[in-house]
Amino acid sequence: MAVSLIAGDSGGGLKLPCILYEGAPTVTDDALGPDGYTDTAITFASGLKKDDFVVLDVQTENTYAATNGLPVVKAIAAGTLIVGRIITTPKLVRAPANTAAGDSWAKQLAGQYYRVATVEWFGLSGAIKAVVKGLNAAAIVPDVAATVKIDASECVALRDGVVTLAVSDVANGGVGIISFHYVAAAAADVSTLVSFVGGTVVIQG
């Protein structure tokens, strides 16, 4: 049986601009282009493109502050994960001056030596910025529901002059909500982006 060419894509997931983790960039000087002129070329070790399926990247560097609030995605991998798809052509934010300038993910984030694209997340309907009140229980890991719970008592308080969703790090037991960013244990009063994954949500008092 041949693969059908009949369209069957309805879309409809949450759409968010995301940073692409594509491995280290290689900078090549004097690369010859199709127009016959030379220029500086940049290639990534594991390049992504429009229509590729992706999952959240869980490296510890991917904090809200380091990513300017954007989630970080990588090529689809095995596991129980939220799946998204790149729906726009990736765009480079800044070009590193040389290969050494972007030879670690921390350097790439600091220098913004990465590409950004819009990702459609299947099964998610919205995202909201939250304040983390760290309880030194465990790190909040992107896409791992068990490591984060809504904190009811903190939600009713004013934080930074506005009413804000508040969450806490937990060792286990979180359900129905995930973080898009990494938050170290005991990192009190930092921001993260969260999303509800459907069903009931565990809320602690």
Side-chain angles (χ1 to χ4, degrees):
M1 180 180 292
V3 175
S4 175
L5 299 179
I6 300 171
D9 186 353
S10 61
L14 171 66
K15 299 175 178 65
L16 285 175
C18 295
I19 295 170
L20 307 184
Y21 175 70
E22 303 177 281
T26 298
V27 180
T28 304
D29 294 325
D30 298 326
L32 184 64
D35 57 1
Y37 292 93
T38 58
D39 202 347
T40 298
I42 300 169
T43 56
F44 288 88
S46 302
L48 294 167
K49 61 184 184 302
K50 184 177 179 290
D51 295 326
D52 279 351
F53 291 97
V54 293
V55 294
L56 285 173
D57 181 62
V58 300
Q59 295 181 79
T60 58
E61 291 90 347
N62 297 335
T63 64
Y64 192 95
T67 65
N68 293 309
L70 299 182
V72 179
V73 300
K74 64 179 181 180
I76 192 169
T80 306
L81 304 166
I82 301 297
V83 177
R85 181 177 59 179
I86 298 172
I87 61 173
T88 62
T89 300
K91 301 294 184 183
L92 183 67
V93 177
R94 292 183 61 194
N98 49 60
T99 298
D103 62 6
S104 72
W105 185 231
K107 288 182 181 179
Q108 287 178 253
L109 285 175
Q112 296 185 304
Y113 305 140
Y114 49 69
R115 298 196 298 168
V116 172
T118 298
V119 173
E120 181 178 31
W121 294 99
F122 306 112
L124 301 180
S125 59
I128 186 170
K129 180 182 176 182
V131 171
V132 177
K133 182 176 178 60
L135 299 178
N136 200 23
I140 294 175
V141 180
D143 203 11
V144 180
T147 61
V148 58
K149 288 182 182 178
I150 294 177
D151 191 317
S153 61
E154 290 296 324
C155 284
V156 299
L158 293 179
R159 305 187 73 88
D160 298 326
V162 296
V163 177
T164 305
L165 182 69
V167 298
S168 296
D169 59 283
V170 293
N172 55 64
V175 173
I177 184 173
I178 63 165
S179 173
F180 284 104
H181 295 96
Y182 182 90
V183 182
D189 297 316
V190 298
S191 297
T192 190
L193 189 70
V194 299
S195 183
F196 299 95
V197 297
T200 58
V201 179
V202 175
I203 304 172
Q204 65 183 20

